[in-house]
Amino acid sequence: MAGASTRSGMSAALTLIGKRFASSLLTLLLVSMTIFVIAQLLPGDAAQEALGQSATPEQVAALRHEMGLDRPAHVRYVSWLAGMVSGDPGQSLVANMPVSEVIAERLPNSLLLAALSALVAVPVALAIGIGSAMNRGGRIDRALNIVTLSMVAVPEFLVATIAVLIFSVKLRWLPSIAMASSDMGWGDYLRGVAMPILTLSVIVIAQMARMTRAAVIDQMDRPYVEMAVLKGVAPVRIVLRHIMPNAIAPIVNAMALSLSYLLGGAVIVETIFNYPGLASLMVNAVTSRDMPLLQACAMIFCAAYLILMLIADVTAILANPRLRAQ
Amino acid sequence: MSEALHVEVKGLTVTARNAAGEVFPIVSGIDFALKRGEVLALIGESGSGKTTIALTLLGHARPGATIAGGSIRVGEHDLTRLDRAALAQLRGNRIAYIAQSAASAFNPSRTIMDQVIEPALIHDLMPRAQAEAKAVELFRALALPFPDTIGARYPHQLSGGQLQRLMAAMALITDPELVILDEPTTALDVTTQIEVLRAFKAVVLERGATAIYVSHDLAVVAQMADQIVVLSQGRIREAGAAAQILHAPADDYTKTLMAAARPAIRPAPEKIALPAAPLLEIRGMTAGYGKIGKDGRPRIPVLRDINLTIERGATLGVIGESGSGKSTIARVIAGLLPPASGQVLLDGEALPPGLQGRSRDQFRRVQLVFQNADTALNPAHSVGRILARPLAFYHGLKGNAARMRVLELLDLIRLPATLIDRPIGGLSGGQKQRINLARALAADPQLILCDEVTSALDTVVGAAILELMAELRRELGITTMFISHDISTVRAICDDILVLYSGTMVETGPRTAFGVAPFHPYTDLLIGSVPEMRAGWLEESHAGAAPPPIGEISDHPDLCRFLPRCAARVDGLCNTTPPPRRPLTKGSQILCHHGDESLCPL
Amino acid sequence: MMASAFQRAKALPVSGKVGLALVIFWLAVAVFGPMLAPYPVGAFVAYDVFDGQSAKHWLGSDYLGRDVLSRLLSGARYTVGLAAAAALLASTTGTALALTAAVGGAKVDEPLSRFMDMLISIPSKIFSLVLVAAFGSSLGLLLLIAAFTYVPGNYRIARALAVNLAQMDYVQVARARGEGRFHIAIAEILPNMIHPLLADFGLRFVFIVLLLSGLSFLGLGVQPPDADLGSLVRENISGLGEGALAILAPAVAIATLTVGVNLLIDAIGFSGKGKGR
């Protein structure tokens, strides 16, 4: 009997996960429309922009035709979307090369930076979050609360500036400009990206630690925790065996939110340290109004966000027996 | 002498710290003692400190509170002198705790078995396999269904009564010498309560453990306790042997508690000379949630085929357990939930099914009073604003005229006029419930729908509200629908009674018909499950007997809803054929295959 | 009224008092700052660029030899003013839509919430970058862009509150009394969500300050000759290598403003949970 209910429970969970996946895809589709529509609202159009004010109407019309801008909007949307899906989001207007190539150069850098920062940030944030929750109301907790509360509100460029002041101006340990090129050894690479990682981690750790603490404390006030205390369960076991299974979903959600920030929110850190990542590429695209490139970058960031959220949702479904065995 | 005592509490004081940082006692000067194997009951209303005291027997104080003085001796240990590790050694091992709401005291993410055997494992008492075998044995002894597999389930898959018994299994897995039971049946329906009480008595108490039983219900305590300690506002009012407290209480407070626990039957007010036309009539009403299917039933039906009438000036009691749909009737009448089919007639005129299309006058004539005044009154508004709104909305009263009327209303519900500008937050539970009632009266309604208006209140406060309602009824002649889960309250104040089970009317009739047998089997269970304030009732009561075995149940949608729990079910009839509605000679109508003759032997 | 506000301030923990002081300080600077500036904003007054602290120039000079303090006092007005206006716009719009959804039933709620869910899955910085690319970044547009970017977040919080409150018994009583939807939204629901909404307003303000200074830092925000605090960091970025006061001062100014608001919200204790910046 129990076996049967577990099996049907698993299939119920799979259905639920399938639904979440479909819903994420739908959201991504809507996002693509929104981005496309906003990009089309650009005053003037790309052909005019490319040729400048002195171009004759005939020249503009010819270029418009060549670029396919004279087709109706929905046709252009479908062909753009088809291009996105097949890995060919068009031609970068400024770089004059396929958007896919421009992005292929930058994306690995961004992913690597995000991965390394996550590697630093996640364990530290978990330790701070759980530690201060267990010490709730105590000195350490209150001190950490003020610190993380401040860190989440500090602009990235201040963290970066202070890091530069300390590590490259005063101590002269690290270069103030990040280098990342393929012919660098790992040691040099790490020295080069140490400060970007540090800056990103500081902010992300503060966010994640606060949300982790909140998730754990939310559980600590539940009657089942008091029950565990009254069963004689030791504090560490209470956190690991009783609270964690219930807090895991909000914690993973917090992680996912913060990690999505590591990709898109890295804009300023990449710029300040001159790190050749995707976010600074997107800023260039904005400055030069390179719409195909901008749209592709935006779609990548949104997709990354949705994937992380999907992972968080799936974790929540698998962690919750109510959803697992409906 | 004191060697014979198993538990001894002396001069216990527990303090708490308020927002301003001041320390004040929440219980003080508590002394009691009990011998090995005795059961002591802590009785009191909310805020009396009974749970606080019970928790100190585990060496525990809730966050913000501190055990500030006195001694708590259990066996050879003084709990006030033990450090945290030593306390953890005793808890869940030699001293076990059964929490008030098992539904929230079980971890939702872990299986029952995992949690039940955890005390045995963390205290290194036995290997896992042995603990699991012992748990299954306890499940069986506690009369739980599927004892061999129930451990693999998660809390959300089980009912409140089952969880409460599983919690007992968790407490007993280590064979504790002292068990603390903290209001273990308060959250349950009476018909479930009796099963759980039986299981507790058979398993917890008969194993010879000493027990502390916390409750607000004297009748429940009468079944369990050897000694009773009556508490009020953190102090002991009276303590002594159970029989003495129950039958010859010395303290005034105890006497008030006893009086409030069993409301006196009030004579119906002499009928006002009005035409005998019914004020409210419901015809063939079916309601629920979700889409309405082809057969005219909603996807999640809550009420099925409801027919009732309330005469002008009369009070109809609607009684049923949680989930029976009793509140839904009020919601349908008020228009909050449009019925799937059927009609609601007010004064002979059909009300539009939902809120839309009702005239302001139709709204005015029917007023709803919710159970919980804490949530029924907007905390952002003052007393005056809450009472003035219906005056302005229905009667166009403004300014001074409105204020005068608000003062009149406050006087009517026996509250001081000075409350008028106070925010709702500062009032007591009883005061809030009076305001809640006054807001309905402000509309000058014909019909008041009272949904469990006393169940969130302490017994004494609740009794005062019932008293007030009876007075208002005499003075204003308002027609009332009184929804409750408590059959003794309903029998005390209502003219007619409707018993609801799982959305169907199983018995209806005048109050007098509910004083004499025979009853519908569910009414019988309901009446038989209400604990009586004398020792030995639990053993004598026949309520909750196991239903006889029956064959396969057909899938006819109109089969008796009570079939799975019915002790009088008949194989080959009840499980194949929908029951008819038939009159009993005593004056009520029941929905059952049985009649006068066949119900009598029960 | 004033007295009770004063008493509440006195009851705050130390961190809250610090927060309150910082908030009041920056509000005062935003209002009176330009009048207190020792030098005209655009004037070249120092002999050296990236001068350190001195009696004449309390915060040194910038990359063109202008007085950093004077530029900071004027930049704060842009930062505080723009962010406050945008946060107010975002909060009122989001809350109005949320109330509409809460009392409007599934037919209004579902499409609106679906749309907002879609917008919220575009990371806010990315969203604002796309908007800036499409519309440009005049002051008015920046205000609208910042507000629009944070409407979905406020909507989500406000809707969760409003939908919960709409289930409360007192709202059911009001519905059964025959009250209209407008009365229910404004008189019954809204007053009970004011405190968390104020906290959320504070959070949105912080997010928007960071967003706008970030955009200005990237050169996509406030355009010269106007300059907010983020622009000051950007124009002096060449001083980063030598750790110039001209870059540190505006960055610290932004931090004290946002940290102050955060400390105050936390101390008051209605911390709403929102998506991060």
Side-chain angles (χ1 to χ4, degrees), chain C residues 24-90:
Chain C
I24 292 174
F25 172 76
W26 282 112
L27 283 178
V29 168
V31 177
F32 305 110
M35 294 173 221
L36 304 172
Y39 303 95
V41 175
F44 307 104
V45 290
Y47 295 111
D48 274 320
V49 299
F50 292 134
D51 241 356
Q53 194 268 336
S54 69
K56 275 176 75 184
H57 305 290
W58 290 2
L59 293 176
S61 66
D62 75 351
Y63 76 116
L64 292 174
R66 293 173 295 192
D67 180 53
V68 172
L69 177 62
S70 304
R71 292 189 65 73
L72 197 114
L73 288 173
S74 126
R77 173 175 279 189
Y78 285 94
T79 297
V80 174
L82 264 182
L88 195 64
L89 187 59

